Amino acid sequence: MPSEPLRQLLLDPTVVTVALGALLLGATAGALGTFAVLRRQSLLGDTMSHAALPGVVLGYLLAQGRSLPAMLAGALVTGLAAALLAQLLARRRGVKHEAALGTWLGTGFALGVVLLSLVQHQPGAGSAGLEQFLFGQAAATLRSDLLLIGAIALLSLGLVALLFHRFELVTFDPRFARAGGVAVRVYETLLTLLLAVAIVVGLQLVGVVLMSALVVAPAVAARQLAGSLGAMLWLSAAVGAFSALVGALASAAVPGLSTGPTVVLVATACAALALAFGRRRGVRLEGA
Amino acid sequence: MIQALFDDVAFTILLTGVLTAASAALLGTFLVVRGQAMLSDAISHGVVFGVAVTFLLSGVAAGPLQLLGAGAAGLLTVLLTEWLAASGKVKRDAATGLVFPALFAAGILLLNLFARDAHVDAHTVLLGEIGFVWLDRVTLLGLSLPRAVVVLGAVLLLNVVYVTLFHKQLTAAAFDPVMARLQGLRPRRMTLGLLALTSLTAVAALDAVGVVLFVAFTITPAVVGRLAARRLPSMLGVALAVGVGAALVGYPLAVRFDLSIGGSMALLTAVPLVPLLLLGPSGALGRRLG
């Protein structure tokens, strides 16, 4: 029997909204993180999440107020722009891939900070609403946001279910896939796009600084426990959902506790446990 | 006369920016050449854990003890990542993406919970407060100096000495670690020294520019140098000029348009990338013209 205060907390509509939002985006980030970890794109995720900050502020400016769709669209655009620019820069002689990623991580974030300071001086603009995007804030999730988060989750996870075997082939054996006539570049681009979506969807809860960790940690945990890509996807989604839920509720209950760091610590604890006790050494192509 | 200079707010902010940029460009050049640019990202985040723990254990939020404690945490971040990657259970990029965010998150939560009233809060650690560094002062040689200037000056001196003494080893280890080891140049020890100095510099720059902008100051000028120059000394020269120039131009620009000072300085380091990417040998325009 849950005690009376606990029952009240669980029935509180704000808490329910926060919990639902956290579950949805945690599961999405966790599932899509599977491909990011297997394709060694953890640092790309970090770059895209930092470079999402200017997009959030631009979305705010264009919509002339806090509009989650506009801010997330902006985040997606600048995050992807950073990924593209990094690819362009890494093609130059002497510039290694990670230096290219670091360049746009720093530059994107700096641009975001400058735009943030610009907005703060606008009359009437609620800068506090934007600062939430740095470390994330559980309480910021509104009931109207759930529809958008849910739609993004459904769409991206549906795409993964639909194209599961193609994604699997492209992730594990791109050369075989190419030889078999699969348009590898198209699916690789699609997977990178999904990584950007996974990052953007969690920005409000976890923040730009730590969002990439919510993509990486659940997948690392799942990889130690799962024997197939399908199992890893489910497990990773579960770990992501669990971490986001626990982190969001804990930070909502304890005043002053930032949501993003709390969520990330829970996810990392799961990964540490799986690394210490998991027996599997990774996922391979089924049947291979 | 000298005291008047250090009492001047604008001069102090400019000097803090220039010292940060110079140290970061110096170390960044070697990190970028060695393919270890993102270690600066891991280190600067990991340092926050050290700042929080040092504060909890000793109540110290500045000074030599903080430099050492937080600097050690920066180095620990790299070693922990290496250990995890060497276990074979996690690829290097995922190990990096797992370790430093966790340490950073732990540091932020510790500050959230236990350091509300101290001047080290989560917001400052993330973004820095270069506009306020002149407030925190120490007395040295009879002069009242901003602490950030003293610490960053000392760290820059240390960096310059290290690079001057060991540039041959650092370069050799960068381009051919096997050969360097065969010649008895101890590349591993050189690397640890470089990373330790990066950690110290990240701590020293924390109050001024925060965790992420430090990464911008470290990597971007060095990448510009790499694009603009072939040889290491000229690459270093370009990186220093870009970093220091961005600090000098960024401040008046930020004041004029009422923008974030640290953000403006860091953003300007990327400006030279625009012509370099468009015009260079394989740039969009260069290809068309060539």
Side-chain angles (χ1 to χ4, degrees):
Chain A
M1 270 304 278
S3 63
E4 193 51 33
L6 184 65
R7 255 214 352 228
Q8 268 178 2
L9 185 75
L10 291 178
L11 291 175
D12 183 334
T14 317
V15 175
V16 172
T17 304
V18 168
L20 266 178
L23 272 175
L24 277 172
L25 69 90
T28 311
L32 298 176
T34 300
F35 292 106
V37 165
L38 290 174
R39 298 178 65 227
R40 303 187 195 183
Q41 287 185 323
S42 306
L43 294 179
L44 177 66
D46 205 21
T47 297
M48 289 200 289
S49 77
H50 281 80
L53 185 61
V56 169
V57 187
L58 283 175
Y60 178 93
L61 283 171
L62 287 177
Q64 292 177 324
R66 187 197 171 282
S67 148
L68 193 64
M71 290 191 285
L72 294 194
L76 194 65
V77 169
T78 53
L80 284 172
L84 212 65
L85 282 169
Q87 218 170 45
L88 209 68
L89 187 57
R91 252 184 241 156
R92 307 305 284 271
R93 188 187 354 195
V95 180
K96 301 207 168 68
H97 193 59
E98 57 136 34
L101 287 175
T103 301
W104 298 112
L105 182 154
T107 304
F109 189 79
L111 180 62
V113 171
V114 168
L115 287 176
L116 213 52
S117 63
L118 193 72
V119 172
Q120 278 165 353
H121 296 304
Q122 278 193 347
S127 62
L130 285 171
E131 295 247 331
Q132 288 161 2
F133 280 88
L134 292 174
F135 284 121
Q137 193 173 74
T141 315
L142 303 176
R143 181 153 281 214
S144 53
D145 298 342
L146 282 183
L147 204 65
L148 179 70
I149 297 173
I152 294 174
L154 204 69
L155 210 68
S156 47
L157 295 181
L159 200 62
V160 171
L162 201 69
L163 299 172
F164 180 80
H165 290 292
R166 288 293 163 91
F167 284 158
E168 189 178 30
L169 200 59
V170 166
T171 300
F172 289 107
D173 202 345
R175 286 166 77 186
F176 180 75
R178 197 171 290 124
V182 176
V184 173
R185 284 292 289 275
V186 174
Y187 291 102
E188 280 180 344
T189 310
L190 211 53
L191 279 173
T192 305
L193 200 71
L194 283 175
L195 173 61
V197 169
I199 281 167
V200 161
V201 72
L203 285 182
Q204 186 173 229
L205 188 80
V206 180
V208 297
V209 187
L210 283 166
M211 186 53 213
S212 72
L214 183 60
V215 174
V216 174
V220 167
R223 191 160 188 256
Q224 313 305 315
L225 306 169
S228 71
L229 181 63
M232 185 175 163
L233 268 167
W234 282 109
L235 255 173
S236 192
V239 174
F242 171 77
S243 312
L245 183 66
V246 172
L249 292 181
S251 71
V254 181
L257 209 60
S258 307
T259 308
T262 317
V263 171
V264 165
L265 272 190
V266 177
T268 312
C270 293
L273 282 176
L275 279 165
F277 299 110
R279 280 151 181 262
R280 305 224 182 230
R281 277 296 174 87
V283 178
R284 277 178 193 83
L285 191 60
E286 272 162 90
Chain B
M1 166 63 190
I2 297 176
Q3 184 61 63
L5 210 52
F6 283 104
D7 286 339
D8 186 64
V9 174
F11 176 77
T12 306
I13 294 174
L14 275 171
L15 191 58
T16 307
V18 166
L19 291 172
T20 304
S23 269
L26 193 61
L27 299 169
T29 299
F30 285 98
L31 289 172
V32 163
V33 167
R34 298 159 61 93
Q36 297 173 321
M38 283 303 254
L39 284 185
S40 64
D41 190 32
I43 285 174
S44 76
H45 282 83
V47 149
V48 171
F49 179 69
V51 166
V53 171
T54 314
F55 177 74
L56 287 184
L57 292 180
S58 65
V60 162
L65 192 62
Q66 189 203 37
L67 267 175
L68 287 179
L75 212 51
L76 179 80
T77 312
V78 177
L79 296 177
L80 210 58
T81 307
E82 270 190 15
W83 172 76
L84 193 58
S87 78
K89 290 184 174 181
V90 183
K91 294 279 187 304
R92 173 166 285 279
D93 76 298
T96 309
L98 198 62
V99 171
F100 83 75
L103 287 171
F104 179 69
I108 292 295
L109 287 188
L110 288 176
L111 293 178
N112 273 173
L113 290 172
F114 303 111
R116 292 266 181 82
D117 306 321
H119 89 269
V120 282
D121 63 273
H123 194 264
T124 311
V125 157
L126 184 64
L127 299 176
E129 296 270 16
I130 197 169
F132 295 115
V133 288
W134 56 276
L135 285 168
D136 185 17
R137 304 180 82 87
V138 288
T139 308
L140 197 75
L141 305 171
L143 290 170
S144 161
L145 303 172
R147 185 195 296 275
V149 167
V150 175
V151 177
L152 282 165
V155 168
L156 178 60
L157 193 68
L158 212 59
N159 289 333
V160 170
V161 168
Y162 185 80
V163 168
T164 313
L165 284 178
F166 299 118
H167 67 95
K168 199 182 286 174
Q169 286 91 327
L170 279 168
T171 322
F175 291 109
D176 197 344
V178 179
M179 190 55 133
R181 196 153 47 232
L182 289 176
Q183 290 179 336
L185 292 177
R186 300 180 186 279
R188 168 92 186 153
R189 200 175 287 186
M190 285 298 116
T191 306
L192 275 180
L194 186 64
L195 297 182
L197 286 174
T198 308
S199 301
L200 280 184
T201 311
V203 186
L206 199 60
D207 282 347
V209 297
V211 165
V212 187
L213 296 180
F214 175 71
V215 178
F217 279 111
T218 308
I219 301 182
T220 315
V223 166
V224 172
R226 194 83 179 97
L227 288 175
R230 284 279 166 88
R231 297 173 53 78
L232 191 70
S234 33
M235 181 184 161
L236 197 55
V238 173
L240 282 169
V242 168
V244 171
L248 290 177
V249 181
Y251 177 56
L253 216 61
V255 171
R256 170 72 183 76
F257 296 102
D258 206 1
L259 303 171
S260 150
I261 300 168
S264 305
M265 290 177 170
L267 185 60
L268 284 183
T269 61
V271 168
L273 283 176
V274 179
L276 281 171
L277 274 179
L278 285 175
L279 292 171
S282 54
L285 282 176
R287 225 176 7 236
R288 208 160 296 163
L289 294 172

